[in-house]
Amino acid sequence: MTRQHTGLLGWLLAFAVAALFSTLGAWQLQRMHEKQALLAQAPPDRSHGLALAQAMRAPATLHWVHDTLEFLPATVLLDNQLRDGRAGLKVYQAARVDAGVVLVDLGWLPLPADRRLPRIAPLQGRIEVQGLWAPPPSPGLALGPALAATAQPRVWLATRVDTAAIAAQLQLPAAALAGQVLRLDPASPLGYTRDLDLLPNTLPPSRHLGYAVQWFAMALAVLVIAGVLHVRRRRGR
């Protein structure tokens, strides 16, 4: 009876591990398809920029936007953002339009070796801007809290762009904060160093496919090993 229980527990453990590896493989495939869909979109027409309210009502795709925003004193610093091999932060500031509140990507700032956060001077008032209306950076695996307060008032350090968590800090309903972000035109004098790369600081679709294959192979290997051990145990009896 003890051997039967041991064998059953072994199979249960093997199935649990294989299920975990398969889930991770499926997540990698999902990320691959999302990024392929983003790259497949036609470049937005800069000569016919939409008002931001129009872009917010349109399907969640790429749009070139030209509008005037009212910037709010609320800044999110997205951590772990590499540029040219250097560690840094992406700076997002909240801004209001008639259709709600959006996050504006102001660009990238380097972090010193001691990781002391830079002092942020937020934009103020109503400012005319243009840029790309696009999805925020990929959040990856959501581990731990999304936001942490900093020594500077109304400035938060983020591990990912979690619109629900950011809306809560801004004391807004979750639906009031747009799911996409406005990436300022690199030619604008506002903000910091930036570009309009669609997949910044993240893996290309081919890498996600490679990781998915690895996870599925590991799931299969776990089941094969469990089967071999089961056969050997039966023969040993």
Side-chain angles (χ1 to χ4, degrees), residues 10-208:
W11 275 112
L12 289 176
L13 178 60
F15 281 124
V17 173
L20 173 61
F21 289 166
S22 297
T23 299
L24 292 171
W27 178 75
Q28 290 288 352
L29 286 180
Q30 177 187 348
R31 297 297 300 127
M32 179 194 73
H33 292 308
E34 289 174 354
K35 292 180 179 180
Q36 286 177 333
L38 179 63
L39 293 175
Q41 294 183 40
D45 186 358
R46 296 194 180 199
S47 63
H48 296 86
L50 299 178
L52 192 48
Q54 292 177 294
M56 292 170 70
R57 290 193 295 267
T61 55
L62 301 177
H63 298 285
W64 192 255
V65 168
H66 191 162
D67 210 332
T68 299
L69 309 183
E70 179 186 356
F71 281 86
L72 306 175
T75 304
V76 174
L77 305 177
L78 182 60
D79 202 359
N80 301 317
Q81 300 298 297
L82 294 176
R83 186 179 179 89
D84 299 328
R86 296 186 63 188
L89 306 160
K90 264 202 169 183
V91 182
Y92 293 87
Q93 186 172 344
R96 189 184 303 279
V97 291
D98 292 340
V101 177
V102 302
L103 292 177
V104 181
D105 179 355
L106 300 180
W108 178 90
L109 283 175
L111 267 181
D114 62 4
R115 288 187 53 83
R116 182 175 300 174
L117 296 180
R119 188 74 180 174
I120 301 298
L123 300 177
Q124 299 181 9
R126 293 178 61 81
I127 302 176
E128 185 176 348
V129 298
Q130 64 176 354
L132 183 66
W133 184 242
S138 168
L141 289 175
L143 301 175
L147 293 176
T150 69
Q152 188 172 348
R154 305 289 290 173
V155 176
W156 295 273
L157 184 64
T159 58
R160 57 189 180 274
V161 179
D162 185 327
T163 53
I166 296 170
Q169 290 293 343
L170 299 180
Q171 298 182 338
L172 295 170
L177 184 62
Q180 297 208 142
V181 300
L182 178 60
R183 302 178 61 185
L184 284 188
D185 185 351
S188 169
L190 300 173
Y192 313 101
T193 303
R194 60 184 176 271
D195 55 43
L196 297 180
D197 182 4
L198 291 178
L199 297 178
N201 201 55
T202 188
L203 299 175
S206 59
R207 291 286 296 278
H208 285 291

